[in-house]
Amino acid sequence: MILNSIFGWFSNDLAIDLGTANTLIYVKGEGIVCNEPSVVAVQKDSRGSRRVLAIGSEAKKMLGRTPGSIVAIRPLKDGVIADFEITENMLRYFIQKIHTGKTLVRPRPRIVICVPFGITAVEKRAVRESAESAGAREVYLIEEPMAAAIGAGLPITEPTGNMIVDIGGGTTEVAVISLAGVVFSRSVRVAGDKMDESIIQHIKRKYNLLIGERTAELIKITIGSAYPGNEIQTMEIKGRDLVAGVPKIIEITDEEIREALMEPVRQVVESVRIALERTPPELASDIVDKGIVLAGGGALLRNLDVLLREETGLPVTLADDPLTAVVMGAGKVLDELSLLRDVTVD
């Protein structure tokens, strides 16, 4: 115990938001030091063994652009580890990158990792073991909606209802939190990735044009919306014509992208509605006053807050920085050990 507290003075304790789309790392006393895509480029040889070529931003540039022997892998699917070995490599790389250039020889860090609500014991063990193999001294797991609520500045330790909607890359999590505990939570595997997929399918159906994941994400960020705005927006996109088999450029509007996103957005709205229906009446009355807070990269979809306001009749606000709310919440927990004990999961 004494050794642990001495190590705490010297080691850089970390908070990690291990996301399907991006991995963010917060270092105690320094803030967010790493924000990279959760992508790893791997080269396979004839014997089937794998060699890591690039991790993070470098690997993301390779998505959809690699020759047969090189594969750009996303080791996390729907918020959980799909490829244990590659996740371990990715974590080790990010942790070493943070410690590069430090003159003092530091002991292994204590790490808080954010995980989706309701993941299985096997999935929790996979996250814990990946972090330990990558160099962690102690590993604490905290549920993403709880971390997002702390990062968004909600008074989670008070006996009042706080509703958070965390829309990430792989999962959307809706939670009602009171007294540092989750009263009700619903997790659906519909989020940013499903939105990209819907755009790809829509362009393929309507224009016989095949586009990649990166182009779909760019369309979503540039002209994607959940509710009509004041002006019509257009965008030129490039892809492969499935009929002629040659590259082609077309122009699309925000209206048709809104139509393409209707199904995943409707599922997010439905999850919020179900959570509201199952919230105890006393906490529901708090939510009427305080409203719903949106966090996660998917919350940046234009006019999503307007749509939720229309559908629920409640005030809806965006966290100050939706992309970093989860990791900032986990970082705050590192500074308050009493809160860490209350919010970590076994």
Side-chain angles (χ1 to χ4, degrees), residues 162-205:
N162 302 284
M163 189 177 218
I164 186 93
V165 180
D166 176 26
I167 308 164
T171 55
T172 293
E173 309 201 43
V174 186
V176 177
I177 294 167
S178 175
L179 290 168
V182 176
V183 178
F184 176 83
S185 181
R186 181 177 170 82
S187 179
V188 288
R189 297 197 168 183
V190 175
D193 287 351
K194 281 282 191 290
M195 291 179 190
D196 296 346
E197 215 174 282
S198 297
I199 291 170
I200 292 170
Q201 293 307 320
H202 172 81
I203 303 290
K204 191 175 172 182
R205 263 196 321 269

Side-chain angles (χ1 to χ4, degrees), residues 234-252:
T234 60
M235 180 182 175
E236 274 191 353
I237 60 163
K238 299 164 190 165
R240 190 179 86 230
D241 190 319
L242 288 168
V243 178
V246 293
K248 184 179 169 185
I249 299 175
I250 60 163
E251 190 173 76
I252 52 170

Side-chain angles (χ1 to χ4, degrees), residues 14-19 23-25 34 37-40 52 55-56 75-76 81 83-99 109 111-114 126-136 139 141:
L14 312 174
I16 301 178
D17 174 12
L18 197 58
T23 295
L24 289 90
I25 301 181
C34 174
S38 305
V39 183
V40 180
V52 173
I55 295 174
L76 291 113
I81 293 174
D83 191 318
F84 183 83
E85 184 193 342
I86 298 296
T87 303
E88 189 186 308
N89 274 307
M90 186 175 78
L91 272 175
R92 186 179 285 114
Y93 168 81
F94 289 143
I95 291 168
Q96 284 171 354
K97 191 177 172 184
I98 289 161
H99 287 120
I111 297 181
V112 173
I113 298 187
C114 306
V127 174
R128 200 172 262 121
E129 285 176 5
S130 280
E132 284 167 358
S133 305
V139 180
L141 303 183

Side-chain angles (χ1 to χ4, degrees), residues 60-75:
K60 189 173 183 182
K61 288 175 190 168
M62 300 180 189
L63 269 178
R65 291 182 167 148
T66 56
S69 62
I70 299 171
V71 194
I73 298 172
R74 282 180 153 195

Side-chain angles (χ1 to χ4, degrees), residues 12 27 30 98-106:
N12 275 24
V27 174
E30 292 182 35
I98 289 161
H99 287 120
T100 302
K102 308 275 191 208
T103 49
L104 189 66
V105 176
R106 292 173 183 270

Side-chain angles (χ1 to χ4, degrees), residues 155-162 177-179 283 286 290:
I156 60 140
T157 53
E158 292 175 16
T160 57
N162 302 284
I177 294 167
S178 175
L179 290 168
L283 296 179
D286 295 332
K290 294 157 84 174

